[in-house]
Amino acid sequence: MLDSRVQSPDNDEHADDDFAIFLAMGVDAQGHTGIPYPKLARLAQGLLDTFDGVDLTDLADAGGEAQPDDIPMYVSNPPKRRDFWARIVDPERRRRRMGLKYPLELYAPSRLKQDVEQGTDTIYALSTAPGRAAIAVVRISGPACLEIYRRLCPGKPLPQPRTATLRKLYDPEQDAGDPPRVLDSGALVLFFPEPNTATGEPLVELHLHGGPAIVKSVLEAIPRSLSAGKRGRDAADSVIRPAEAGEFTMRAFYNGRLTLPQVEALGEALTAETEQQRRLAVLGAESGLAQRYEEWRQMLLYARGELEALIDFSEDQHFDESPTELIASTAKQVSDLERLISIHVHNASRGELLRNGISIALLGAPNAGKSSLLNRIVGREAAIVSAEAGTTRDIVDVNIDIDGWLCRIGDMAGLRRGPAASSGTFDREEVGLVEKEGIRRARERALQSDVVLVVIAIEPGSDGVPVLSINQELTEAVHECRTAGKQILFVLTKGDLVGDEALRSHMARLKALLDSEFAHTPDSNMGPGTRVPVFVVSCLEHDLIGSALDPGNIQAFLRGLTSVFQNLTASSTGSSSSLATPRDQSYWSASLSITHRQKTHLEQCLNHLCDFLAQSGSSSSIHSDECDDLIDDDQVDIVTAAEHLRYAASCLAKITGRGEGGDVEDVLGVVFEK
Ligand SMILES: Nc1nc2c(ncn2[C@@H]2O[C@H](COP(=O)(O)OP(=O)(O)OP(=O)(O)O)[C@@H](O)[C@H]2O)c(=O)[nH]1
Ligand SMILES: [Mg+2]
């Protein structure tokens, strides 16, 4: 018996074809594979279908048994993917499923790998910000970087790897008789040998004096280092050129130094402005999300392979499990994965609040002190304040970092309805068209926000007992927000008019009043028994209430606000206790760092998984007789169900930029542009 694993032919007679796929299979002493040829052809096409848009050509149905001579098979329009040649299912399992005597594997020749390898250009760029600074770092990556070093530092030995070494840098192109032209009198030079470098290639870093003229002269000298006739052997064919935007990172990705989610996290780390954004970027860089996606993808491909084998070979091959068991166990796995991904997507939404900022709306009656509160929070006169009711008309949006959380606070028109339909003290005046539009926009903005601050003025009543200024329009708007599940906080302003003592004695009554006024709708975001937080503040600068350290209680209010942010953005473990494998908290907090792009693909993946579960009868409801129906009477259902798994897997491939997925190149373009 011999193993006829076919290797990539060097004297490739099909050299003009894009490349070939090889099926390697075991044969017996007579050279027989024992596989009926049509079955082999179907299997091969099934494998290739996994890669979108690939068709087999030159695969004639020879009839009878497949012979080793029937292979290789040539493929038209293959995707130029490095990992195309990877095995897509466990060959040993597939062999067992098909009842083959020897394993069956899919290969592509190494030429494909070369095709998609990064070009061998050497690239360079100023890696620190342009402008005058103490130090400027220039990075050079690629095969010619040592040759460039030798030309810039003639006669000087190569620095020890990863050891900063002081060197004078010279102009590489000088006439023989001229005195040497020094570009920088003392630069630190570092050499990083491949493969453990930022790009996976040999890399040289020049830490220059940061004067713009020095930087300019070195950047100009680098491409001149390899002028014709002076090239060393290493660099004979090298092109030296400035790096494109993101090109160092792209090389790191192609050389396996960074995963695509890590590349995204790197982009976020560089743009992070708030503490929470920084935290998120660090989580993304460390979380191993790519590995997680890849495991899920492999699991789906594997499940699909099993279903396919079931469809193709159930009639005449022996399987370890009955078809019923196989479908039920696949559906169970998929249903587990679906639950897991759902929690990830939920956490991703929370992470988006950290990344993009928490939207806050100031909702209240006219003159309640909304603009005054905004100005106190941001510490400047961002909005006009006046004693005239209806001062603010348009929405005034202000971005601010509150204790590390990026927030966008919207000050808006006060809510009132006008004399006819109202009874409150604020509603005696006419409401004009402009104000009406402002009120409409305010209600809309509150519904689009993550947190709604309901601002209510508290004033001494005629008998000295504090009263709250609430009108019908406000009550309705708050109910609307609560029904929509918005996070609500009550902020009672003008506490200074009442004073600390009166506030203390009347607080319980005021809270009860708020409860009765606003608690008519189900409190979806608070849960039963939990109350909406209430804060009393004064927007005046004096310490009439609060303390000298916290005049007006504004800091106490902000602390309350950040603890609400903490709850809003904490990673959820969902119903993880019901998952097959329980995970610890760090597993879930990693999913906060999922980017919007990743989340979109995960949502699409979930849709396909749901479609699969619906088609396969769902994990829990599969009974043996139903499965038999599926297989015997309605085989098409299993075929299309298996397709859903393929779509779901390709959504995951788009996230990592690896594996199959037709538009992966487009995905890479989008990520590296950033
Ligand atoms: N005593 C006292 N006066 C306040 C306080 N907050 C606001 N005011 C006053 O209340 C009046 C209205 O304040 P604004 O901040 O303009 O109120 P608003 O809610 O933005 O009003 P509109 O824009 O008309 O909806 C102004 O005269 C403020 O000086 C406070 O905490 N204490
Ligand atoms: Mg205002």
Side-chain angles (χ1 to χ4, degrees), residues 60-139:
D61 183 349
E65 189 182 292
Q67 300 295 319
D69 287 349
D70 296 330
I71 50 180
M73 296 173 287
Y74 289 87
V75 176
S76 63
N77 302 321
K80 299 226 164 184
R81 299 298 321 287
R82 287 178 94 185
D83 47 1
F84 181 81
W85 45 273
R87 291 173 210 178
I88 56 168
V89 286
D90 176 351
E92 179 52 26
R93 285 288 293 230
R94 187 164 274 277
R95 182 190 69 74
R96 277 201 296 131
R97 288 265 166 261
M98 290 172 60
L100 299 178
K101 229 171 170 182
Y102 306 102
L104 185 64
E105 299 178 26
L106 182 73
Y107 288 91
S110 54
R111 187 151 51 84
L112 166 69
K113 203 168 168 236
Q114 286 160 16
D115 278 353
V116 293
E117 288 290 358
Q118 280 299 288
T120 51
D121 291 2
T122 297
I123 54 171
Y124 65 96
L126 175 65
S127 297
T128 42
R132 202 154 69 180
I135 296 170
V137 178
V138 171
R139 261 183 171 178

Side-chain angles (χ1 to χ4, degrees), residues 287-307:
S287 62
L289 279 176
Q291 193 187 342
R292 207 171 287 184
Y293 298 137
E294 186 54 22
E295 279 167 15
W296 297 346
R297 191 178 78 86
Q298 291 293 342
M299 185 237 127
L300 290 176
L301 289 178
Y302 184 75
R304 178 187 172 232
E306 291 200 311
L307 287 182

Side-chain angles (χ1 to χ4, degrees), residues 371 384 392 411:
S371 303
I384 301 171
T392 311
D411 180 23

Side-chain angles (χ1 to χ4, degrees), residues 364-373 375 383-393 411-415 435 455 492-497 537-540 544:
N367 250 350
K370 301 178 294 299
S371 303
S372 307
L373 182 62
N375 292 350
I384 301 171
V385 167
S386 93
E388 201 175 297
T391 305
T392 311
R393 301 291 173 89
D411 180 23
M412 325 189 292
L415 307 184
E435 192 175 349
V455 182
L492 308 185
T493 54
K494 309 195 184 182
D496 54 282
L497 297 180
V537 300
S538 165
C539 301
L540 304 185
L544 294 170

Side-chain angles (χ1 to χ4, degrees), residues 276 278-289 292-293 343-352 354-355 566 569-574 576 583-595 598:
Q276 296 299 332
R278 183 199 62 75
R279 211 187 104 216
L280 212 57
V282 170
L283 268 181
E286 290 176 349
S287 62
L289 279 176
R292 207 171 287 184
Y293 298 137
I343 306 174
H344 272 74
V345 168
H346 177 72
N347 283 342
S349 304
R350 291 172 164 235
E352 276 178 353
L354 298 177
R355 183 179 295 113
Q566 251 151 12
T569 56
S571 57
S572 148
T573 56
S576 63
R583 318 280 179 160
D584 63 19
Q585 190 60 40
S586 67
Y587 182 85
W588 298 113
S589 44
S591 53
L592 287 174
S593 67
I594 292 172
T595 60
Q598 295 171 24

